[in-house]
Amino acid sequence: MTTTAGATHRRTRIGLLQVCAAGVLWGTGGLVVTLLHRRDGLGAMTVSAWRMALAAVALVGFAVVTRRSGVVLATLRTHPALAVVVGVGTALYQALYFGSVLLVGVSVSTVVSLGLAPVLTAAWEHAAARSRPSLREVAVLAAALTGLVLISATAGHGSPAPGGRPGLGIVLAVASGATYAATTLLGHTLAQRVDSVALTTCATAAGTLALLPWLGIALAAGEPVLTADPASLALLAYLGVATMALAYGLLYAGLRTTSGSAATVATLVEPLSAALLAALLLGERLTVPALLGGALILAAVVALQPAGQDRTAPAAARPGPPQPDGAAGP
């Protein structure tokens, strides 16, 4: 029993590390998008569409080379609706977030969208398991959200929005957070059943189809759609391969042994890594509140111990078949 419990704890820790690594990669994405906008005038949604398209190409190529094409096709045959919904949800919460940024600014959008997600996922998981959150879980969530607020409110990227429509911007941020939470929960459910590479490939392909119309919209509006600069093309390739294909592969692999609520807390390292990169590469100054916020987020992630999860997380967060009593998670 002790050996089995120890192996489960190790798998959970590895899963959390995988999710944190995904968050770090996502944190580099904001810097790359900023550079592409400055260099080539590419809009955020245009870059997002290329990001998903390049990720889909990379993942399909990887599946062919590693002879996992059959697994990918089997996933599409057995779970077509879930795979498509996860992919479209991924594209949708990005679009809602970018729309919110234009209307209410980066700071408020980040706090509302990323802060709402772990609250919603934790609430759903405990409702499904008919359990109550422990004081430890509440403390972890409070520390993580406080750290998120401190970083987002004081980081250099928190500029005011040009749109000047804060009400609509907050609505879009709430919709983005809710979509992110739902997508994580669905991805958690599907990750228990299928190979993580196959899930990432199917979801990314579906998300690509959802975002491709934005390229046509940008073209019709006379906005730049692509660049011929080799360095900028390399940055686009990095966005697709590293911050999309690899990052979501790590996320779905981590979700096999980590609950959705823990994953959404762990991915809060994204704004932390973004702030650190902005300070190192863009010369932005890290304030004392931002440093304190980063310490709180790191402390919250460290506190996501497997022992705490095993007591409260739904059974689907751990390896093994779903339980017949319905407490197997969302």
Side-chain angles (χ1 to χ4, degrees):
M1 284 294 285
T2 303
T3 303
T4 302
T8 301
H9 291 176
R10 284 193 296 272
R11 286 194 295 267
T12 303
R13 291 189 184 98
I14 291 172
L16 283 172
L17 287 174
Q18 289 171 322
V19 174
C20 287
V24 171
L25 288 172
W26 289 331
T28 68
L31 175 64
V32 175
V33 171
T34 301
L35 291 174
L36 287 170
H37 182 70
R38 290 180 180 178
R39 291 168 60 94
D40 307 284
L42 297 178
M45 290 306 300
T46 299
V47 173
S48 295
W50 283 117
R51 176 191 181 210
M52 291 204 84
L54 291 169
V57 171
L59 286 165
V60 170
F62 180 77
V64 171
V65 171
T66 57
R67 298 182 179 180
R68 297 192 185 189
S69 303
V71 180
V72 173
L73 293 175
T75 300
L76 279 176
R77 285 196 300 267
T78 55
H79 305 286
L82 274 178
V84 169
V85 169
V86 169
V88 173
T90 301
L92 180 60
Y93 74 68
Q94 291 181 39
L96 290 169
Y97 172 75
F98 288 135
S100 173
V101 166
L102 294 177
L103 295 173
V104 77
V106 175
S107 296
V108 175
S109 298
T110 301
V111 170
V112 173
S113 60
L114 287 184
L116 184 63
V119 175
L120 292 177
T121 51
W124 175 261
E125 285 180 346
H126 283 288
R130 297 181 180 180
S131 62
R132 293 181 180 180
S134 65
L135 290 177
R136 180 192 182 92
E137 287 178 301
V138 173
V140 166
L141 189 58
L145 296 183
T146 302
L148 175 65
V149 170
L150 289 173
I151 288 180
S152 300
T154 59
H157 66 270
S159 56
R165 300 176 66 185
L168 179 58
I170 291 175
V171 169
L172 293 180
V174 169
S176 175
T179 307
Y180 177 38
T183 302
T184 301
L185 289 169
L186 288 173
H188 174 262
T189 301
L190 196 52
Q192 310 302 308
R193 307 174 186 174
V194 301
D195 176 76
S196 58
V197 173
L199 170 57
T200 310
T201 304
C202 295
T204 305
T208 299
L209 294 177
L211 282 180
L212 279 180
W214 284 98
L215 295 178
I217 294 173
L219 190 63
E223 299 177 0
V225 175
L226 190 58
T227 175
D229 181 67
S232 296
L233 291 175
L235 290 175
L236 278 175
Y238 171 81
L239 277 177
V241 174
T243 72
M244 192 73 208
L246 178 57
Y248 278 93
L250 287 168
L251 172 67
Y252 295 135
L255 283 174
R256 296 180 67 86
T257 56
T258 304
S259 67
S261 56
T264 50
V265 170
T267 53
L268 292 184
V269 299
E270 175 188 353
L272 172 59
S273 61
L276 290 175
L277 282 172
L280 291 173
L281 301 179
L282 298 180
E284 295 182 358
R285 187 173 62 89
L286 282 176
T287 63
V288 173
L291 291 172
L292 177 60
L296 285 171
I297 289 176
L298 290 178
V301 172
V302 171
L304 292 171
Q305 295 296 329
Q309 277 188 344
D310 289 344
R311 291 192 301 269
T312 56
R318 303 186 293 274
Q323 301 299 316
D325 62 1

